[in-house]
Amino acid sequence: MTTYTTTSFQPVLDRIAEEIAGLTDRGAPADYIPALAAGDPADFGMAVAELDGTVYGVGDWRRPFSTQSVTKVFTLALALAGEGDALWAHVGREPSGDPFNSLVQLEYENGIPRNPFINAGALVVTDRLHRLTGDASGSLLNFLRAESGNPELAFDTAVAASEATHGDRNAALAHFMASYGNITGPVPDLLREYFRQCSLEASCADLALATGFLARHGLRADGTRLLTRSQAKQVNAVMLTCGTYDAAGDFAYRVGLPGKSGVGGAVVAVVPGRCTLCVWSPGLDSRGNSVAGVTALDRFTTITGLSVF
Ligand code: GLU
């Protein structure tokens, strides 16, 4: 297997971008959130961040986009850092086998969502984080600004408002879990925090850097510890098994890395001990993952041999 040195990431990214440019079927942007529907599947960006914060990129890698469910990785990490294993009494860690916004399992399973990356689980995590910090979305924003080194990261209030207007499904999930006692605060407060969280705008460079603590086994960019080594392993494991909607098996098969996608078209991925990646292209497949994004990550691990397997 070829061992790639630091300086060789740029040619790899350039080669992938060239291949992606020839990709004809790129899926379609999410349209259930009207503010995302204008996304252009031709847009593509990709960044790789090394453990020391060196970043390589190609295409639209510095352009901000709607991060959506990628933020679920960071709220999970912050909640786990805040309350440790007690979190797992409120949310499971098994793939759901159902779409990300499904209600059906919740009734059979007494209001405990299968995992933190489906919407129900993410709502529970944001509720826990809000309870721990008094300001879930603010804690998330501060963390991402610090880890990315970008003080300008911000929420997109138009996207948050658009989600709130079309948020009946998330409201139903939150109220249903509250009826089982699995949401601690008022549901309207939780929905406000959750929609703000999903509306965060960031670039591939920002997200690749911000995910670095998972490749550094829990250490933040400044060298302080957010998660124990074991907790970082746990978050990576849940990403691998549950991070890419109802296609986590296919993503593991093709890419072979812990990853988390969002309906804005971003996917982050972690090579523990080595680097982190973020790729963005708004065209999604039928299960909600970026077509060009997953293809690019597949090519990255195939070309470099950098995978957890
Ligand atoms: N804000 C979106 C929702 O709650 C996030 C979905 C996603 O990216 O998976 O529906």
Side-chain angles (χ1 to χ4, degrees):
M1 185 198 301
T2 312
T3 305
Y4 282 85
T5 61
T6 294
T7 49
S8 67
F9 277 134
Q10 193 61 50
V12 172
L13 291 180
D14 292 342
R15 175 174 162 190
I16 292 170
E18 218 176 290
E19 292 180 14
I20 293 294
L23 198 64
T24 46
D25 182 4
R26 287 165 170 256
D31 57 5
Y32 78 104
I33 300 172
L36 299 182
D40 183 353
D43 291 339
F44 173 81
M46 185 169 186
V48 182
E50 305 238 65
L51 302 189
D52 66 358
T54 308
V55 192
Y56 301 87
V58 74
D60 299 317
W61 65 294
R62 291 182 191 276
R63 176 173 157 188
F65 48 78
S66 193
T67 57
Q68 294 293 322
S69 279
V70 171
T71 57
K72 291 172 181 169
V73 172
F74 306 108
T75 48
L76 172 63
L78 292 171
L80 201 53
E83 67 173 335
D85 280 351
L87 177 69
W88 299 118
H90 302 274
V91 60
R93 41 184 194 252
E94 286 293 345
S96 74
D98 277 321
F100 71 100
N101 57 2
S102 170
L103 276 151
V104 290
Q105 270 167 355
L106 276 179
E107 181 156 27
Y108 295 120
E109 299 179 2
N110 302 316
I112 309 289
R114 276 287 174 100
N115 69 67
F117 294 148
I118 53 175
N119 280 14
L123 285 161
V124 166
V125 169
T126 298
D127 174 64
R128 311 283 318 158
L129 185 60
H130 202 55
R131 183 171 155 275
L132 285 165
T133 62
D135 182 5
S137 57
S139 315
L140 171 73
L141 186 59
N142 287 340
F143 178 76
L144 291 176
R145 283 178 174 168
E147 298 308 292
S148 65
N150 181 358
E152 293 183 358
L153 288 187
F155 300 115
D156 182 329
T157 49
V159 170
S162 173
E163 291 209 47
T165 308
H166 298 84
D168 290 334
R169 179 64 71 115
N170 285 315
L173 290 167
H175 281 293
F176 196 56
M177 291 188 291
S179 77
Y180 286 95
N182 200 23
I183 296 293
T184 57
V187 167
D189 292 359
L190 168 58
L191 293 173
R192 183 199 61 226
E193 291 300 302
Y194 175 76
F195 292 139
R196 290 186 78 186
Q197 163 187 334
C198 292
S199 78
L200 186 106
E201 294 268 307
S203 69
C204 290
D206 296 325
L207 290 180
L209 285 167
T211 315
F213 70 98
L214 288 173
R216 291 187 294 266
H217 306 293
L219 292 182
R220 297 183 60 163
D222 66 2
T224 60
R225 186 166 284 286
L226 176 71
L227 299 177
T228 65
R229 194 178 175 98
S230 174
Q231 288 171 325
K233 176 197 73 181
Q234 292 162 359
V235 174
N236 278 320
V238 179
M239 286 170 73
L240 182 75
T241 52
C242 311
T244 41
Y245 304 114
D246 205 9
D250 192 54
F251 185 85
Y253 174 86
R254 289 179 64 190
V255 177
L257 292 176
K260 180 73 200 90
S261 53
V263 293
V267 193
V268 294
V270 183
V271 187
R274 186 68 176 86
C275 63
T276 44
L277 300 106
C278 179
V279 57
W280 168 72
S281 182
L284 309 181
D285 62 22
S286 59
R287 290 184 289 189
N289 293 311
S290 169
V291 174
V294 176
T295 305
L297 291 171
D298 177 349
R299 292 301 299 141
F300 179 87
T301 54
T302 303
I303 294 167
T304 64
L306 291 172
S307 150
V308 297
F309 299 109

